[in-house]
Amino acid sequence: MSRARVLLLNAALGPLDYRVPPGMTVEPGSIVVAPLGPRQLLGVAWEAERMPSDAEVGDNRLRPLLAVADVPPLRPALRRLVEWTADYYLAPPAAVLRMCLASTSALEGARTVTEYRATGEVPGRLTPQREQALERIGDRQGLIRELASIADVSDAVIRGLVKGGVLEAVTVDIDSPYPLPDPAYGPPELSDDQRAAADVLAAGVAAHRFETTLLDGVTGSGKTEVYFEAVAEAILHGRQTLVLLPEIALTEPFLKRFRDRFGVEPVAWHSGLRSTQRRRAWRAIASGEALVTVGARSALFLPYAALGLIVVDEAHETSFKQEEGVHYHARDVAVMRGKFEECPVILASATPAIETRQQVALGRYAELKLTGRFGLAEMPAIEAIDLIQEPPERGRWLSPRLVKAMGETLERREQSLLFLNRRGYAPLTLCRTCGHRFQCPNCTAWMVEHRLTRRLACHHCGHVEPVPRACPECKGEDTLVACGPGVERIADEVAALFPEAKTAVVTSDTIWSPAKAAEFVGRMEMGDIDIVVGTQLVTKGYHFPNLTLVGVIDADLGLEGGDLRAAERTFQQIRQVSGRAGRGEKPGRVYIQTHSPGAQVMQALITGDADAFYAAETEARADAGAPPFGRYAAIVVSSEDQACAHETALLVGRAAPKVDGMAVYGPAPAPLAMLRGRHRYRLLVHARRALDVQDVIRDWLGALDWSAKARVTVDVDPYSFL
């Protein structure tokens, strides 16, 4: 071809045409380097009929392409996924394509790089920055700029440590091959129910046929071992498998189970990888060498050479919804990728989302059920503690019955888990003298006190500041009061009640990498932790046979805020954390502290009647025309200038089309009226299921012209209503 349509990695541009120089081979999917003014940009050649351009020019005006990357072209199935995702989520195709090319260094030829690691030596002059760098680097290895980023110091500090012999150079071959998993390495002993489900899933892989299957099994039923048999079948056929996990912290437990089954670790893909690791993984995936990849939602857009199976583990998890950039939901996009790749998709969950259950009810998804725990393990007994009838002691947050149960568990040398989905020490700090409340300067959110780091932090924008000695309003000293509990405050209470117990706080602040997760798992398995105090990070994926007691500190917390999925999320979260108890031969107990023990969701948790709960929730959604029976789309207008944001929101609202079966609510200030320094207004579109709401919104917003200072984003199928 002498002319190529190229989609550049610039969301502000549409596709452009270029001339293909003599001797250069370019086909649809080829990754190319193209000139744009004085710059050189990456792009991908596309079929012209599938990617129309508004800037077509004659052949004589075309600029020549500069180079073609020495990697396989993006396959048609991935290009169709890019088109579908951009169209469904109303995102620029270039923004979606950027996720496919997540490692630009992978497009370069094979090479080695020099990384650095600590030698164990102590520098002669130990400045505070050097001390911080060595503490944070630990046993990590990476490029100078990566280590500087990890340590939050300048490159010069790292170079000084290298020069002083404190860090040593290591030559890394960044394209060394991965060891291949062996499907016969560690075959599991499966129950009859597990074997029947595994055989069905493996047959689907062998048939190379697209089908979505819900693997619905109670916590501890062995879902992972079941879908591993489908993974083994894909390996036998030389096809690739993608396993999506919702949290980076779940990677390490999964890697261990995978290693026990297949003899080696899979290829990992997540935000914690060094650039050299990302390059190596990307190239191995693109060449087909990487047979099994486990990763976060972004792994869904990697250029697999021969994808034969997709597994979405914990498929109900809301963290599969991307809230920045392209607002896609990985569970739904995974199903579409399976369709384009013509391979089976497995959605594994102990608490499937109502949207998934409805697809099963309509016959679009198949379903396999595992109703009992594996082996001798039984589901734990669950009791509610009415905080009105059995309140904690004054100044405490743990009820007497839960405290007594923890003491008994310690006497038996068993482990306990206390769950509170609130990081830090306290969600609000105020002055007892003047009432001043500490609010983030960039967001309409309270600053959360973190006593472990002695900081006030905003959990929305990341702003941190030290806890002041005096109130900034009235200047009074020793007047600041922490209001409400976070996990750190619960841990302090546990330490006061059980001073001999070994306690661990597990949140995203303490478990920020797979290595930290591995350390936590090791300590739990060795019995080096008696009581875990954690957030949702510990509600799934972990298997500790000696953990027999779970206490839910504030079961009502997730019901606040008016979210349409609040009851469902609360049920899922507490059911998942309850499932951590009694996973071995020892029986488990769960205590749920609540102010509303009679609430439908609490009764469903206590009785274990999930079917009745989901039936009632589904009926309420159907009556309201809410998803999956209707459709929502959020339009968020933001600007650093409040007047500009307000005027633009009014402009969008006044132009809202009158369409049968669709209503537009707003604009109104968003619950988080300011986020990261930007003032925000929201409009909510509610439409019947059959309406092509994307086309309506595309025409609606496409006809408007607003200030360059304003940003208008669309979130199709929103999960966050903040």
Side-chain angles (χ1 to χ4, degrees):
M1 61 193 293
S2 60
R3 182 184 182 114
R5 177 70 45 86
V6 176
L7 182 59
L8 297 173
L9 294 190
N10 186 325
L13 296 172
L16 300 175
D17 289 346
Y18 287 90
R19 178 167 56 84
V20 180
M24 180 183 289
T25 302
V26 175
E27 59 182 288
S30 292
I31 301 171
V32 300
V33 180
L36 185 71
R39 295 177 293 160
Q40 297 180 4
L41 297 182
L42 277 176
V44 174
W46 222 271
E47 300 93 330
E49 65 275 12
R50 302 194 68 94
M51 195 65 68
S53 174
D54 295 330
E56 288 197 40
V57 296
D59 290 351
N60 61 324
R61 297 180 57 194
L62 296 180
R63 298 183 68 181
L65 292 173
L66 302 176
V68 178
D70 185 22
V71 292
L74 300 189
R75 297 174 60 251
L78 182 52
R79 300 200 300 276
R80 302 296 82 82
L81 185 75
V82 169
E83 295 165 359
W84 180 87
T85 304
D87 179 70
Y88 186 87
Y89 292 103
L90 297 173
V96 182
L97 180 62
R98 184 174 291 279
M99 296 189 288
C100 305
L101 305 179
S103 174
T104 54
S105 66
L107 308 180
E108 304 167 5
R111 58 190 175 92
T112 61
V113 297
T114 301
E115 295 186 336
Y116 296 87
R117 65 186 178 195
T119 62
E121 298 289 329
V122 178
R125 191 168 64 88
L126 189 60
T127 65
Q129 280 194 313
R130 288 183 170 187
E131 184 178 13
Q132 175 179 310
L134 291 174
E135 179 184 340
R136 295 193 181 184
I137 290 170
D139 58 358
R140 297 187 189 185
Q141 177 176 309
L143 303 173
I144 283 179
R145 64 175 177 272
E146 290 173 338
L147 296 181
S149 176
I150 290 168
D152 195 21
V153 298
S154 68
D155 289 4
V157 173
I158 303 299
R159 294 186 190 280
L161 292 173
V162 172
K163 188 175 180 181
V166 180
L167 298 178
E168 64 179 354
V170 181
T171 300
V172 179
D173 180 359
I174 54 181
D175 287 334
S176 56
Y178 289 94
L180 296 178
D182 179 3
Y185 179 82
E189 294 183 14
L190 300 179
S191 67
D192 292 343
D193 286 349
Q194 286 178 315
R195 174 52 61 191
D199 288 346
V200 171
L201 296 177
V205 173
H208 304 317
R209 180 183 66 244
F210 167 65
E211 183 178 41
T212 302
T213 302
L214 169 63
L215 180 59
D216 182 357
V218 299
T219 53
S221 60
K223 295 183 293 296
T224 304
E225 285 70 24
V226 168
Y227 72 66
F228 271 177
E229 297 309 287
V231 175
E233 188 70 21
I235 294 170
L236 286 170
H237 286 259
R239 295 175 69 83
Q240 294 170 294
T241 296
L242 165 63
V243 180
L244 291 178
L245 299 177
E247 303 276 0
I248 186 175
L250 292 180
T251 305
E252 189 59 34
F254 179 91
L255 295 182
K256 183 179 183 300
R257 296 172 80 172
F258 189 93
R259 190 167 53 243
D260 292 343
R261 173 64 181 86
F262 296 103
V264 299
E265 291 191 355
V267 175
W269 184 271
H270 52 74
S271 59
L273 296 180
R274 305 193 306 271
S275 63
T276 51
Q277 293 173 316
R278 294 174 75 83
R279 170 199 160 89
R280 181 187 178 204
W282 195 97
R283 289 179 71 88
I285 288 166
S287 69
E289 172 206 327
L291 286 181
V292 183
T293 302
V294 56
R297 56 181 178 250
S298 59
L300 191 54
F301 291 92
L302 295 174
Y304 301 93
L307 198 54
L309 173 66
I310 300 173
V311 180
V312 185
D313 206 348
E314 308 288 357
H316 62 279
E317 271 296 316
T318 56
S319 56
F320 278 125
K321 173 71 174 181
Q322 171 75 22
E323 298 292 354
E324 300 288 339
V326 182
H327 293 253
Y328 69 94
H329 197 300
R331 178 196 64 212
D332 300 335
V333 178
V335 172
M336 292 307 300
R337 178 138 203 193
K339 181 178 180 180
F340 292 131
E341 298 280 358
E342 298 182 354
C343 74
V345 179
I346 300 171
L347 307 179
S349 175
T351 53
I354 289 176
E355 287 84 351
T356 302
R357 289 172 177 268
Q358 180 64 12
Q359 294 296 325
V360 171
L362 294 173
R364 294 172 183 163
Y365 293 176
E367 183 180 31
L368 295 171
K369 277 184 171 289
L370 300 173
T371 55
R373 283 190 157 179
F374 180 74
L376 299 176
E378 296 182 357
M379 294 299 292
I382 301 178
E383 297 180 32
I385 296 176
D386 187 341
L387 290 174
I388 297 175
Q389 300 296 326
E390 303 178 64
E393 294 180 15
R394 184 174 178 84
R396 296 194 182 276
W397 309 96
L398 304 180
S399 64
R401 193 174 2 149
L402 178 56
V403 172
K404 180 183 176 185
M406 292 172 66
E408 294 168 349
T409 303
L410 284 170
E411 288 176 5
R412 293 193 302 269
R413 300 195 174 187
E414 295 169 359
Q415 295 165 315
S416 302
L417 164 62
L418 299 180
F419 168 70
L420 175 64
N421 202 28
R422 185 184 275 153
R423 292 157 51 204
Y425 183 84
L428 172 64
T429 300
L430 56 78
C431 174
R432 68 163 67 93
T433 302
C434 70
H436 173 78
R437 299 183 177 194
F438 287 85
Q439 181 172 318
C440 175
N442 308 314
C443 310
T444 46
W446 306 122
M447 299 285 282
V448 178
E449 182 179 352
H450 287 251
R451 290 205 174 168
L452 290 177
T453 56
R454 300 175 186 172
R455 292 286 187 272
L456 294 172
C458 174
H459 290 171
H460 297 284
C461 73
H463 173 80
V464 294
E465 58 187 58
V467 180
R469 292 178 56 86
C471 171
E473 192 77 22
C474 69
K475 311 305 179 185
E477 294 195 12
D478 298 323
T479 62
L480 302 183
V481 180
C483 300
V487 287
E488 293 176 14
R489 192 168 200 168
I490 300 300
D492 279 1
E493 184 173 338
V494 169
L497 289 166
F498 306 105
E500 302 300 318
K502 291 171 283 189
T503 305
V505 175
V506 179
T507 73
S508 57
D509 299 313
T510 60
I511 306 291
W512 65 79
S513 70
K516 283 291 183 182
E519 179 186 337
F520 164 64
V521 170
R523 291 184 62 200
M524 284 291 289
E525 291 177 343
M526 289 167 49
D528 191 39
I529 298 173
D530 298 313
I531 301 172
V532 178
V533 184
T535 60
Q536 64 178 0
L537 210 61
V538 293
T539 63
K540 50 200 171 283
Y542 293 108
H543 176 80
F544 302 125
N546 202 40
L547 198 160
T548 59
L549 175 67
V550 168
V552 180
I553 306 305
D554 186 354
D556 309 317
L557 182 61
L559 296 174
E560 301 169 359
D563 186 345
L564 78 101
R565 296 181 178 88
E568 182 188 15
R569 285 178 180 171
T570 297
F571 179 84
Q572 290 169 336
Q573 207 166 64
I574 297 178
R575 179 103 166 197
Q576 288 281 340
V577 75
S578 299
R580 299 312 105 199
R583 294 176 72 91
E585 296 181 7
K586 300 175 182 177
R589 293 174 298 162
V590 179
Y591 291 96
I592 300 175
Q593 295 190 166
T594 173
H595 288 91
S596 308
Q600 182 187 58
V601 63
M602 299 304 165
Q603 286 299 305
L605 288 162
I606 296 163
T607 63
D609 193 352
D611 290 340
F613 169 75
Y614 276 111
E617 278 292 298
T618 301
E619 183 180 357
R621 296 260 195 104
D623 289 345
F629 304 98
R631 306 191 65 188
Y632 284 140
I635 301 175
V636 179
V637 179
S638 67
S639 175
E640 294 179 359
D641 181 338
Q642 184 173 12
C644 176
H646 186 228
E647 290 168 9
T648 305
L650 291 176
L651 170 71
V652 173
R654 284 193 293 265
K658 301 291 189 292
V659 177
D660 185 38
M662 186 184 96
V664 179
Y665 304 101
L672 271 175
M674 188 166 73
L675 180 65
R676 301 185 185 93
R678 299 184 68 87
H679 299 274
R680 304 166 73 242
Y681 290 83
R682 285 177 60 95
L683 297 94
L684 184 66
V685 179
H686 183 196
R688 55 185 167 83
R689 190 73 200 169
L691 181 67
D692 190 344
V693 73
Q694 286 91 341
D695 271 355
V696 173
I697 295 174
R698 195 178 288 112
D699 293 342
W700 168 13
L701 299 182
L704 301 178
D705 187 19
W706 54 77
S707 168
K709 294 190 295 182
R711 183 187 304 156
V712 179
T713 58
V714 181
D715 185 1
V716 177
D717 302 337
Y719 268 60
S720 170
F721 290 83
L722 294 177

